[in-house]
Short mmCIF file of all heavy atoms in Angstrom, two decimals:
data_model
loop_
_atom_site.label_atom_id
_atom_site.label_comp_id
_atom_site.label_asym_id
_atom_site.label_seq_id
_atom_site.Cartn_x
_atom_site.Cartn_y
_atom_site.Cartn_z
N MET O 25 133.39 149.63 68.76
CA MET O 25 133.88 148.68 69.77
C MET O 25 135.40 148.65 69.79
O MET O 25 136.02 148.52 70.85
CB MET O 25 133.34 147.28 69.48
CG MET O 25 133.71 146.26 70.55
SD MET O 25 133.19 144.58 70.14
CE MET O 25 134.31 144.20 68.79
N ALA O 26 136.02 148.78 68.62
CA ALA O 26 137.49 148.77 68.55
C ALA O 26 138.07 149.93 69.33
O ALA O 26 139.08 149.77 70.04
CB ALA O 26 137.94 148.83 67.09
N ARG O 27 137.44 151.11 69.24
CA ARG O 27 137.93 152.26 70.00
C ARG O 27 137.74 152.04 71.50
O ARG O 27 138.57 152.44 72.31
CB ARG O 27 137.20 153.53 69.57
CG ARG O 27 137.57 154.03 68.19
CD ARG O 27 137.04 155.44 67.97
NE ARG O 27 137.26 155.87 66.61
CZ ARG O 27 136.37 155.75 65.63
NH1 ARG O 27 135.19 155.22 65.90
NH2 ARG O 27 136.64 156.16 64.42
N GLN O 28 136.63 151.41 71.88
CA GLN O 28 136.33 151.23 73.29
C GLN O 28 137.28 150.24 73.97
O GLN O 28 137.60 150.40 75.15
CB GLN O 28 134.88 150.76 73.46
CG GLN O 28 133.86 151.83 73.12
CD GLN O 28 132.43 151.31 73.15
OE1 GLN O 28 132.22 150.08 73.15
NE2 GLN O 28 131.46 152.20 73.17
N ILE O 29 137.73 149.22 73.27
CA ILE O 29 138.58 148.21 73.88
C ILE O 29 140.06 148.46 73.63
O ILE O 29 140.91 147.86 74.30
CB ILE O 29 138.23 146.80 73.38
CG1 ILE O 29 138.54 146.66 71.89
CG2 ILE O 29 136.77 146.47 73.66
CD1 ILE O 29 138.38 145.26 71.35
N SER O 30 140.39 149.34 72.69
CA SER O 30 141.79 149.51 72.30
C SER O 30 142.64 150.09 73.43
O SER O 30 143.81 149.72 73.58
CB SER O 30 141.90 150.40 71.06
OG SER O 30 141.27 151.65 71.29
N GLY O 31 142.06 150.98 74.25
CA GLY O 31 142.83 151.55 75.36
C GLY O 31 143.25 150.49 76.35
O GLY O 31 144.40 150.44 76.80
N GLY O 32 142.32 149.61 76.70
CA GLY O 32 142.64 148.52 77.62
C GLY O 32 143.65 147.55 77.05
O GLY O 32 144.57 147.10 77.74
N ILE O 33 143.50 147.21 75.77
CA ILE O 33 144.44 146.27 75.13
C ILE O 33 145.84 146.86 75.09
O ILE O 33 146.84 146.17 75.34
CB ILE O 33 143.95 145.92 73.71
CG1 ILE O 33 142.64 145.15 73.77
CG2 ILE O 33 145.01 145.11 72.97
CD1 ILE O 33 142.01 144.90 72.43
N LEU O 34 145.94 148.15 74.79
CA LEU O 34 147.25 148.80 74.73
C LEU O 34 147.97 148.71 76.06
O LEU O 34 149.14 148.31 76.13
CB LEU O 34 147.07 150.26 74.32
CG LEU O 34 148.33 151.13 74.37
CD1 LEU O 34 149.36 150.64 73.37
CD2 LEU O 34 147.99 152.60 74.10
N TRP O 35 147.28 149.04 77.16
CA TRP O 35 147.93 149.05 78.46
C TRP O 35 148.19 147.66 78.99
O TRP O 35 149.17 147.43 79.70
CB TRP O 35 147.11 149.88 79.46
CG TRP O 35 147.25 151.34 79.21
CD1 TRP O 35 146.31 152.21 78.76
CD2 TRP O 35 148.44 152.12 79.36
NE1 TRP O 35 146.82 153.47 78.63
CE2 TRP O 35 148.14 153.45 79.00
CE3 TRP O 35 149.75 151.82 79.77
CZ2 TRP O 35 149.08 154.47 79.02
CZ3 TRP O 35 150.69 152.85 79.81
CH2 TRP O 35 150.35 154.14 79.44
N VAL O 36 147.34 146.70 78.64
CA VAL O 36 147.60 145.31 79.04
C VAL O 36 148.87 144.81 78.35
O VAL O 36 149.73 144.17 78.97
CB VAL O 36 146.39 144.41 78.69
CG1 VAL O 36 146.78 142.94 78.75
CG2 VAL O 36 145.26 144.68 79.65
N ALA O 37 149.00 145.12 77.06
CA ALA O 37 150.20 144.71 76.32
C ALA O 37 151.46 145.33 76.92
O ALA O 37 152.47 144.65 77.11
CB ALA O 37 150.07 145.11 74.85
N LEU O 38 151.40 146.62 77.26
CA LEU O 38 152.57 147.30 77.82
C LEU O 38 152.88 146.81 79.23
O LEU O 38 154.05 146.67 79.61
CB LEU O 38 152.34 148.81 77.83
CG LEU O 38 152.29 149.48 76.46
CD1 LEU O 38 151.92 150.95 76.59
CD2 LEU O 38 153.62 149.33 75.73
N LEU O 39 151.83 146.53 80.01
CA LEU O 39 152.03 146.05 81.38
C LEU O 39 152.76 144.72 81.40
O LEU O 39 153.80 144.57 82.06
CB LEU O 39 150.69 145.93 82.09
CG LEU O 39 150.70 145.24 83.46
CD1 LEU O 39 151.53 146.05 84.46
CD2 LEU O 39 149.27 145.06 83.98
N PHE O 40 152.25 143.74 80.68
CA PHE O 40 152.87 142.42 80.71
C PHE O 40 154.21 142.40 79.97
O PHE O 40 155.11 141.63 80.34
CB PHE O 40 151.91 141.38 80.12
CG PHE O 40 150.77 141.05 81.03
CD1 PHE O 40 149.51 141.61 80.83
CD2 PHE O 40 150.94 140.20 82.10
CE1 PHE O 40 148.47 141.31 81.69
CE2 PHE O 40 149.91 139.90 82.96
CZ PHE O 40 148.66 140.46 82.75
N ALA O 41 154.35 143.24 78.95
CA ALA O 41 155.64 143.32 78.28
C ALA O 41 156.71 143.91 79.18
O ALA O 41 157.86 143.45 79.21
CB ALA O 41 155.51 144.15 77.00
N SER O 42 156.34 144.94 79.96
CA SER O 42 157.32 145.55 80.86
C SER O 42 157.73 144.61 81.98
O SER O 42 158.88 144.64 82.44
CB SER O 42 156.76 146.85 81.44
OG SER O 42 155.59 146.60 82.20
N ILE O 43 156.80 143.75 82.44
CA ILE O 43 157.14 142.80 83.49
C ILE O 43 158.25 141.87 83.05
O ILE O 43 159.13 141.49 83.84
CB ILE O 43 155.88 142.00 83.91
CG1 ILE O 43 154.94 142.90 84.72
CG2 ILE O 43 156.24 140.77 84.74
CD1 ILE O 43 153.63 142.24 85.09
N THR O 44 158.26 141.51 81.77
CA THR O 44 159.30 140.60 81.27
C THR O 44 160.69 141.23 81.34
O THR O 44 161.69 140.51 81.40
CB THR O 44 159.01 140.22 79.81
OG1 THR O 44 159.04 141.39 78.98
CG2 THR O 44 157.64 139.57 79.67
N ALA O 45 160.76 142.57 81.33
CA ALA O 45 162.06 143.24 81.32
C ALA O 45 162.51 143.73 82.69
O ALA O 45 163.71 143.91 82.91
CB ALA O 45 162.02 144.43 80.36
N LEU O 46 161.57 143.94 83.63
CA LEU O 46 161.93 144.54 84.91
C LEU O 46 162.81 143.62 85.75
O LEU O 46 163.80 144.06 86.34
CB LEU O 46 160.67 144.93 85.68
CG LEU O 46 159.89 146.11 85.09
CD1 LEU O 46 158.53 146.24 85.75
CD2 LEU O 46 160.68 147.39 85.24
N ASN O 47 162.46 142.35 85.82
CA ASN O 47 163.30 141.41 86.57
C ASN O 47 164.69 141.31 85.96
O ASN O 47 165.69 141.21 86.67
CB ASN O 47 162.64 140.03 86.61
CG ASN O 47 161.66 139.88 87.75
OD1 ASN O 47 161.90 140.38 88.85
ND2 ASN O 47 160.56 139.21 87.51
N GLN O 48 164.74 141.32 84.65
CA GLN O 48 166.01 141.17 83.96
C GLN O 48 166.95 142.34 84.23
O GLN O 48 168.17 142.17 84.28
CB GLN O 48 165.77 141.03 82.46
CG GLN O 48 166.98 140.63 81.66
CD GLN O 48 166.65 140.38 80.21
OE1 GLN O 48 165.52 140.57 79.79
NE2 GLN O 48 167.62 139.97 79.44
N SER O 49 166.38 143.53 84.44
CA SER O 49 167.23 144.69 84.68
C SER O 49 168.02 144.56 85.97
O SER O 49 169.16 145.02 86.08
CB SER O 49 166.37 145.96 84.71
OG SER O 49 165.49 145.93 85.82
N TRP O 50 167.43 143.92 87.00
CA TRP O 50 168.16 143.71 88.26
C TRP O 50 169.03 142.47 88.22
O TRP O 50 170.01 142.37 88.96
CB TRP O 50 167.17 143.61 89.42
CG TRP O 50 166.60 144.93 89.81
CD1 TRP O 50 165.33 145.37 89.62
CD2 TRP O 50 167.28 146.02 90.45
NE1 TRP O 50 165.18 146.64 90.09
CE2 TRP O 50 166.37 147.06 90.61
CE3 TRP O 50 168.59 146.19 90.89
CZ2 TRP O 50 166.71 148.27 91.21
CZ3 TRP O 50 168.94 147.39 91.49
CH2 TRP O 50 168.00 148.41 91.64
N THR O 51 168.69 141.51 87.37
CA THR O 51 169.54 140.33 87.23
C THR O 51 170.93 140.70 86.75
O THR O 51 171.93 140.11 87.16
CB THR O 51 168.89 139.33 86.26
OG1 THR O 51 167.58 139.00 86.73
CG2 THR O 51 169.71 138.06 86.15
N ARG O 52 171.02 141.71 85.92
CA ARG O 52 172.32 142.19 85.45
C ARG O 52 173.20 142.66 86.60
O ARG O 52 174.41 142.51 86.57
CB ARG O 52 172.13 143.33 84.45
CG ARG O 52 171.44 142.95 83.15
CD ARG O 52 171.12 144.18 82.36
NE ARG O 52 170.51 143.88 81.07
CZ ARG O 52 169.95 144.78 80.27
NH1 ARG O 52 169.92 146.05 80.66
NH2 ARG O 52 169.44 144.42 79.13
#
């Protein structure tokens, strides 16, 4: 089960983490 869900968890973490930085890049 860990292998089956790990791909989704990885991309969810990267997706929401990147959103936090994308707005900030244009704020500069």
Side-chain angles (χ1 to χ4, degrees):
M25 185 185 70
R27 289 193 186 94
Q28 290 174 345
I29 66 173
S30 56
I33 294 173
L34 173 64
W35 285 112
V36 165
L38 292 175
L39 171 63
F40 287 100
S42 61
I43 287 176
T44 62
L46 290 169
N47 274 322
Q48 190 175 3
S49 66
W50 285 109
T51 303
R52 294 171 177 170

